[in-house]
Structures are given as C-alpha cells and as structure tokens.
Amino acid sequence: MDRSWLLVLPSGFIVCFFVFASVAQAAVVEHTFNVGNLSISQLCKPAMIITAVNGQLPGPTIEASEGDTVVVHLVNESPYNMTIHWHGIFQRGTPWADGPAMVTQCPVTPGATYTYRFNVTGQEGTLWWHAHISFHRATVYGALVIRPRGDDDAYPFPKPNREETLLLGEWWNASVYDLERMAFITGNTAPPADAYTINGKPGDLYNCSNANQTYGFQVQSNETYLLRIINAALNTPMFFKVASHNFTVVGADAAYTTPYETDVVVIAPGQTVDALMVAGAAVGRYYMAASPYDSAIPNGPPFSRTTATAILEYVGSATDAPPQLPPRPEYNDTNTAFRFFSNLTALVLPGKPTVPLSVDTRMFVTVGLGNTDCQPEQLLCNTTGTRAPIFAASMNNASFLLPDAVSMLQAHYANASAGVYTRDFPDQPPVIFDYTADASDTAVLKYTTKSTKVKTLRYNETVEMVLQNTRLIAKESHPMHLHGFNFFVLAQGFGNYDEATATPRFNLVNPQERNTIAVPTGGWAVIRFVADNPGTQILSRLHFG
Ligand SMILES: *[C@@H]1O[C@H](CO)[C@@H](O)[C@H](O)[C@H]1NC(C)=O
Ligand SMILES: *[C@@H]1O[C@H](CO)[C@@H](O)[C@H](O)[C@H]1NC(C)=O
Ligand SMILES: *[C@@H]1O[C@H](CO)[C@@H](O)[C@H](O)[C@H]1NC(C)=O
Ligand SMILES: *[C@@H]1O[C@H](CO)[C@@H](O)[C@H](O)[C@H]1NC(C)=O
Ligand SMILES: *[C@@H]1O[C@H](CO)[C@@H](O)[C@H](O)[C@H]1NC(C)=O
Ligand SMILES: *[C@@H]1O[C@H](CO)[C@@H](O)[C@H](O)[C@H]1NC(C)=O
Ligand SMILES: *[C@@H]1O[C@H](CO)[C@@H](O)[C@H](O)[C@H]1NC(C)=O
Ligand SMILES: *[C@@H]1O[C@H](CO)[C@@H](O)[C@H](O)[C@H]1NC(C)=O
Ligand SMILES: *[C@@H]1O[C@H](CO)[C@@H](O)[C@H](O)[C@H]1NC(C)=O
Ligand SMILES: *[C@@H]1O[C@H](CO)[C@@H](O)[C@H](O)[C@H]1NC(C)=O
Ligand SMILES: *[C@@H]1O[C@H](CO)[C@@H](O)[C@H](O)[C@H]1NC(C)=O
Ligand SMILES: *[C@@H]1O[C@H](CO)[C@@H](O)[C@H](O)[C@H]1NC(C)=O
C-alpha cells in the first residue's frame, strides 16, 4: 500500500497503482460512439461538423444506475485523433479509461476503435462526457446521467414528474480545430464563440436563427421537472434563467445539495446543476435563457454578449404565443455569481463521505495567466521584441506541457518517467506577492515556462489546497476541474487568501462537494480531498485558445 502514489500536475493531475475490490451484480450499459461528420445549418450558415458523435449535437445521453458498468466503443471515423473524458467519473481501478490524451492514454487515431470500460460506483446525479484532445469537445459532448440504483424514488427529494437534460454550449461558424491550430501557430487567443447554445441550438434571439434552431419542451401545469443542467461551453460561465419560474437546486456535479431556492442558476464550464422546477406559471410559453458571466478584469479575452434561448411550452398554450423573456443578470454580475456559488451546501447523508478534519499536505496554488515564449512549432508567432506576448495558463508559475511520445500513466506504470515528467510541482508559488492588486501586473511571475511537472501524493493522505487567482494578465473566474475525485469546498472569497480570517469561515459541517470549482475572480477558494484514487489525475483549468 505504501507503494501507491498520487501525483498532481500543474495543468494537471495524479498517479496510481491501486485496484479496488468492487460491487456485485449490476447492469452493463453499452454504447457505440461513431465520431464523424454531421452536416448542419446553424445561424443560416451551412456547416459540416467533422467530429460529431453518431451524427448528433449534442451526442447521445448515457443513462446508467449507480453501480452499473459503462462500456463505450469509440469508433473514430474522423480525420483527427480522438479521446473521450467522462467528466466527474472517479475511474477507481480504471485510470486508463479517464480519457485525457497523453496523460492517461495515447489518442485513438483516425480509423481506429477503442473501448472505454468503467464502473459508476458510489456516484449519483448528472455528469457529462466530452472529447479530451485539442478542442474537439466543442462538438464532441453529451450527458451522462446516473440514477439511484433500483428506483427513482430513492432520490433524497420528492420524485419529479419528469426529467429534462439541458446542455449549454458554444458554437463557432468555423471549424474549432482550425481556430485552435491558428491560435496555437500565431500565439494569439482564439476568437469568441459566434453563439451560445442550449442542446446544440442557439435559439431565435440570434439573427438568422429560427424555430428550427430553437430547442424546446412541453410541460404540464403543476408538474415538477428535474432539470439536469450542464455547462459544456469551452470558456464561458453562464447565467441560466426561465421566465416566471424559480428553481430548487438539489445537486451539483453529481453530489446532492441542501435544497437551495433561487431564480437563477450560475454554472461554470464543466459544472452540472440539478434543479427542480415547478410548472406553476400561467399556461403559456416562456423562454429559458443562457447568458454569459464574464469575469475577466481588465484585459480578458473577448466574449460574445449574446443570449441562447430555448422554449418552455405549457400543454394547452397557443403555439404561436410570443414567449416571455426573463430579465438576465449583467454579464459582469459577480455578486449574483458569488451568491449562487458560495451558498450551496452538501446534503449530508448517512454512509456518504464527509469532509476530513485533519490535513496531511497543504498546497497553495496560484491560478491565472502568464506570458511565455513562442515554441518552435508556432510558425507564425510574432517573435519581434524581446519577449513575445503569448498567453499561457499558469499554476505556481508553471505552465503544463503535454508529453508527445508516451502517456504519463504509461510512463508511470513502466517506471520510465525520465524525460516524460518530473516530480517537482511546487507546493507554493516561487515568489509571494500581492496576487490580486492591480500593480501585480508587473510582477516577476508574469513570465512562465512550459514543463511537465507532477505532485506525488501518498495513498490515502488528505490534501488541502488553496487556489488563488492572480491578476498578472487579468483577473478571471477560472473553472478548475480535478479528475478522479470530488473535493469539499471549505470557503471562498475575494482578494488575497488570508489564513487568519479564512480559517474561522471554513465550513467543516456540510461543505459542498464538487469536481469543478469556479475560483472567484480576483479571489480564492479552499478545497480538501482524500487522495484515495491512485492514478495520474489532472487538475486543470478549462479553457480554449
Ligand atoms: C466529412 O466531411 C469532409 C468535409 O466536407 C469530407 O472531406 C469528408 O469526405 C467527409 N467524410 C465522410 C466519411 O463522409
Ligand atoms: C457566424 O454567423 C453569424 C450568422 O450569420 C454571423 O452573424 C457571424 O458574423 C458569423 N461569424 C463568422 C466569424 O463568420
Ligand atoms: C466493475 O463492476 C464489475 C461488475 O460489478 C466488477 O466485476 C468489476 O470488478 C468492477 N471493476 C472495478 C474496476 O471496480
Ligand atoms: C495522433 O496520435 C498518434 C498516436 O498517438 C500520434 O503518433 C500522432 O502524432 C497524433 N497525430 C496528431 C496530428 O497529433
Ligand atoms: C443582429 O443584427 C443586428 C444588425 O446587424 C446587430 O446589431 C445585432 O447585434 C445582431 N444580433 C445578434 C444576436 O447577433
Ligand atoms: C424547418 O425545418 C423544416 C423541416 O426540415 C422545413 O420544412 C422548414 O422550412 C424549416 N423552417 C424554417 C423556418 O426554416
Ligand atoms: C395548478 O395548481 C393550482 C393551485 O393549486 C390550481 O389552482 C390549478 O387549477 C392547477 N392547475 C391544473 C392544470 O391542475
Ligand atoms: C422567485 O423568487 C423570487 C425571490 O428570489 C420571488 O420574488 C419571486 O416571486 C419568485 N417567483 C416565482 C415564480 O416563484
Ligand atoms: C458592469 O459593466 C458595466 C458596463 O458595461 C458597468 O457600468 C458596471 O459598473 C459594471 N458592473 C460591475 C459590478 O462591475
Ligand atoms: C448567500 O450568499 C450571500 C453572500 O454572497 C449572503 O449575503 C446571503 O445571505 C446568502 N444566502 C442566500 C440564501 O442567498
Ligand atoms: C509583432 O510585434 C511587434 C511589437 O509588438 C509589432 O510592432 C508588430 O506589428 C507585430 N507584427 C505582427 C505581424 O503582428
Ligand atoms: C485511510 O485513512 C483513514 C483515515 O485516516 C483510515 O481510517 C483508513 O484505515 C486508511 N485506509 C487505508 C487503506 O490506509
């Protein structure tokens, strides 16, 4: 057992060797995912999606019950390398099925087939799956719903009459692969999305978008709907509202929450929210609206200030009745975002893990942007001047570089990590400075270099990590996703983390459990997790370009 390790990398992770004995009989949920072409007309522009699963956008929903085995045969009929990540699935004992290219597996090459096989044990709620290579997740994504084993009555809330899955996304007219290649080669940021989408469709507020490009569903007066909301966008946190309807949040990231009443759901890329909604308004038609929360101050990348809509239609309503549009928060409404994110708490249930009270390892990790040099492969990079203004994601001043010859997990198993990664990801930033002051713009840590560093953890140790946003290029609410674990969110706030004032605010009773946290813009969050899932796990910021 003391041979087992966990490694946490800069833009990603952890390492493994431990296989758990597991659950008894349960169903096998089997799918074949053919990745290939889908021709579509979006924003009046005919387009060919080169990487769509089974000719669908979003791809198929995987429906499983707790304890089931999921088997997905990935058939890559596209001209690109492909992998799929099962976002939020722990992958205990199957770390090679997690999906990140060159971290836990080599990519599935064009024409090849690969089978993912994993168990969904000890998890219930809404998760999702997406490509984990290049930025193919813009079109390769879908929902993964895990119901309680046996019966829906096993929900820890009144059984809803119906369920509805809503995947929020971003749409680009051009090929996202080409945009990403161009951004890489030039060192520029990728352009903002042309539209936001709900279940693949932008909705009729966009010019040249019509009823055929608007998602909708019917409701019956007074029935209760469980909305499974997933933010599958590459970059943009979203405000989600339904005109004249409120929500009771009952889950987030496949962890049950104390019921939380709200008129707006705030959801960062990678996150999910399960919310009950009663169809209690007058018979009629109502817009559901997904609008951006852009937190980047002051020089954030450009983003689209548009709204995706879908339509909620009561049975008995005139089909041409003009839908009511909900008022939407301003794009920079950090108060509303913070109120939602910070008010969720876990529903403490017997037998479920609770927050560990003692800590073995403490890490302080700065997250934000830095500048770096053009790499030789960046052929159109502007190298005029002493240092090219290339943006790079940075954690403790390290910017993660994927290995190119062998995956990290494979190198780890083969005991051949030399030349693939180093075990020196630091527990603190190399320099302590005023992380969030405007003057930090000139701080020494603005410049970062590319490396493949990991943090090694002992099996079963408890890790507490402060995630501190920096203002080096721009403050921004960064969604940070940890693979292989749910973590507990003890506290979050703005400015520089101050242990003396933060510790008394720690929620050690019922902190929310997440796999993805939106670290407050220009602020910090404290998370805890038990390193009991050996493997090479990524901790990463989700972003495009
Ligand atoms: C997919 O679409 C591309 C671009 O239009 C085309 O070149 C390719 O032949 C198509 N592939 C298949 C299998 O139809
Ligand atoms: C994408 O299409 C929409 C609708 O036609 C248009 O408004 C927008 O300018 C297009 N964007 C690009 C980059 O072509
Ligand atoms: C997954 O579940 C199956 C069937 O219950 C079981 O045989 C198998 O050992 C489990 N695998 C892991 C890695 O837990
Ligand atoms: C695709 O993956 C294969 C196998 O891992 C690798 O050799 C190749 O370089 C990759 N191709 C691209 C374009 O990245
Ligand atoms: C629709 O077109 C008008 C006029 O060109 C423009 O002002 C507006 O921003 C466009 N709306 C969207 C959502 O693209
Ligand atoms: C919507 O799609 C249907 C079926 O493809 C088509 O007949 C109809 O003309 C479309 N409506 C609009 C407004 O484009
Ligand atoms: C919905 O509930 C309200 C209040 O209880 C009631 O007045 C109304 O008749 C109900 N509507 C339907 C369609 O059952
Ligand atoms: C929704 O909640 C707000 C308070 O947050 C309240 O003012 C409003 O009346 C509620 N709307 C409905 C439809 O329940
Ligand atoms: C949001 O942006 C608007 C301008 O678009 C500005 O007037 C307002 O003060 C900003 N609000 C916050 C909270 O920064
Ligand atoms: C939520 O959080 C805010 C702080 O942002 C706090 O003022 C408020 O009382 C909390 N509770 C509810 C129910 O919103
Ligand atoms: C390259 O950068 C220099 C200095 O910032 C600038 O003057 C020049 O216009 C840039 N060239 C290109 C092709 O972007
Ligand atoms: C893991 O740690 C917990 C709490 O410290 C302890 O009770 C348990 O025995 C440990 N498990 C293993 C397998 O080491």
Side-chain angles (χ1 to χ4, degrees):
M1 209 163 287
D2 44 348
R3 284 187 49 247
S4 303
W5 304 88
L6 224 82
L7 314 182
V8 184
L9 271 200
S11 269
F13 92 43
I14 304 184
V15 175
C16 138
F17 316 43
F18 207 79
V19 180
F20 280 69
S22 203
V23 215
Q25 79 272 44
V28 176
V29 177
E30 191 161 2
H31 286 260
T32 298
F33 280 13
N34 289 293
V35 181
N37 283 349
L38 165 63
S39 60
I40 189 171
S41 179
Q42 196 90 296
L43 305 177
C44 278
K45 204 174 175 288
M48 179 68 88
I49 300 176
I50 310 291
T51 54
V53 173
N54 297 355
Q56 291 170 243
L57 183 74
T61 295
I62 297 177
E63 317 235 8
S65 296
E66 191 278 325
D68 285 355
T69 299
V70 174
V71 177
V72 178
H73 308 286
L74 171 62
V75 181
N76 187 6
E77 292 168 352
S78 86
Y80 302 115
N81 280 349
M82 191 55 53
T83 69
I84 293 185
H85 170 52
W86 317 93
H87 191 111
I89 296 283
F90 298 149
Q91 301 290 1
R92 282 181 197 278
T94 49
W96 47 81
D98 194 42
M102 301 317 291
V103 177
T104 60
Q105 70 172 104
C106 286
V108 182
T109 52
T113 296
Y114 180 81
T115 296
Y116 291 92
R117 187 184 304 269
F118 54 86
N119 290 354
V120 290
T121 304
Q123 300 190 266
E124 285 173 20
T126 305
L127 294 172
W128 63 298
W129 54 266
H130 59 81
H132 206 300
I133 181 164
S134 177
F135 289 92
H136 292 303
R137 72 184 159 91
T139 53
V140 177
Y141 65 89
L144 199 171
V145 171
I146 310 170
R147 298 203 168 77
R149 192 199 291 242
D151 193 336
D152 289 357
D153 286 337
Y155 287 129
F157 47 81
K159 186 180 177 177
N161 298 96
R162 285 173 221 289
E163 302 187 0
E164 186 65 33
T165 300
L166 299 167
L167 283 134
L168 314 183
E170 282 170 313
W171 172 260
W172 281 262
N173 294 342
S175 148
V176 172
Y177 181 83
D178 293 346
L179 293 176
E180 202 270 331
R181 285 303 301 166
M182 192 48 74
F184 174 73
I185 290 171
T186 59
N188 297 327
T189 52
D194 291 305
Y196 303 112
T197 56
I198 299 177
N199 284 352
K201 299 179 178 204
D204 57 11
L205 294 195
Y206 288 91
N207 293 329
C208 208
S209 184
N210 60 40
N212 282 358
Q213 293 167 36
T214 305
Y215 183 75
F217 67 95
Q218 277 205 324
V219 296
Q220 189 82 49
S221 282
N222 293 346
E223 286 196 343
T224 300
Y225 294 78
L226 174 60
L227 305 183
R228 300 178 178 274
I229 308 162
I230 299 165
N231 189 343
L234 267 58
N235 291 335
T236 312
M238 299 280 192
F239 295 115
F240 179 82
K241 295 197 62 143
V242 180
S244 296
H245 293 75
N246 287 349
F247 312 101
T248 305
V249 174
V250 292
D253 294 4
Y256 293 115
T257 63
T258 310
Y260 176 67
E261 310 286 331
T262 179
D263 61 353
V264 61
V265 164
V266 192
I267 184 165
Q271 294 184 328
T272 74
V273 170
D274 286 358
L276 297 173
M277 186 189 73
V278 177
V283 167
R285 299 171 83 225
Y286 301 88
Y287 274 123
M288 297 173 253
S291 61
Y293 166 46
D294 185 81
S295 56
I297 309 165
N299 304 314
F303 70 99
S304 169
R305 295 191 186 185
T306 58
T307 299
T309 53
I311 292 174
L312 184 76
E313 182 176 293
Y314 279 64
V315 169
S317 139
T319 52
D320 56 355
Q324 210 185 90
L325 190 65
R328 282 142 293 151
E330 275 211 85
Y331 72 91
N332 57 357
D333 192 345
T334 290
N335 287 343
T336 293
F338 188 73
R339 187 182 320 120
F340 183 88
F341 286 139
S342 64
N343 274 319
L344 294 183
T345 52
L347 184 66
V348 177
L349 294 168
K352 287 280 177 189
T354 52
V355 59
L357 298 179
S358 66
V359 173
D360 300 305
T361 295
R362 289 174 204 278
M363 298 178 72
F364 186 97
V365 178
T366 57
V367 298
L369 296 176
N371 285 150
T372 194
D373 289 327
C374 295
Q375 298 171 267
E377 307 79 28
Q378 295 181 279
L379 301 173
L380 301 179
C381 216
N382 184 354
T383 50
T384 314
T386 49
R387 223 158 237 181
I390 306 293
F391 291 143
S394 166
M395 290 168 70
N396 280 352
N397 210 37
S399 186
F400 185 65
L401 182 67
L402 281 173
D404 54 12
V406 61
S407 83
M408 301 175 74
L409 187 62
Q410 189 178 340
H412 174 71
Y413 273 109
N415 208 8
S417 60
V420 181
Y421 59 82
T422 54
R423 294 174 181 259
D424 57 349
F425 181 73
D427 287 349
Q428 290 94 34
V431 177
I432 311 275
F433 63 103
D434 187 347
Y435 307 107
T436 52
D438 290 351
S440 74
D441 213 16
T442 55
V444 55
L445 288 193
K446 196 167 168 183
Y447 184 72
T448 177
T449 50
K450 296 267 180 189
S451 58
T452 311
K453 294 178 192 240
V454 313
K455 165 74 179 173
T456 306
L457 299 173
R458 255 179 309 110
Y459 175 73
N460 209 25
E461 71 174 293
T462 298
V463 181
E464 180 179 293
M465 198 184 289
V466 177
L467 297 164
Q468 171 72 58
N469 184 215
T470 67
R471 154 70 176 79
L472 291 178
I473 308 288
K475 296 177 191 175
E476 197 176 349
S477 173
H478 294 279
M480 300 297 297
H481 172 46
L482 182 61
H483 290 222
F485 303 95
N486 285 352
F487 48 77
F488 295 94
V489 183
L490 271 48
Q492 38 192 325
F494 295 98
N496 295 337
Y497 176 72
D498 174 15
E499 192 180 340
T501 55
T503 314
R505 290 174 44 201
F506 281 6
N507 179 347
L508 297 172
V509 177
N510 60 354
Q512 59 178 297
E513 231 184 300
R514 288 274 194 184
N515 63 51
T516 305
I517 183 169
V519 178
T521 182
W524 49 270
V526 183
I527 64 171
R528 255 184 218 179
F529 65 96
V530 178
D532 60 358
N533 186 10
T536 305
Q537 313 283 17
I538 297 188
L539 170 64
S540 70
R541 165 183 184 252
L542 297 157
H543 208 268
F544 168 50

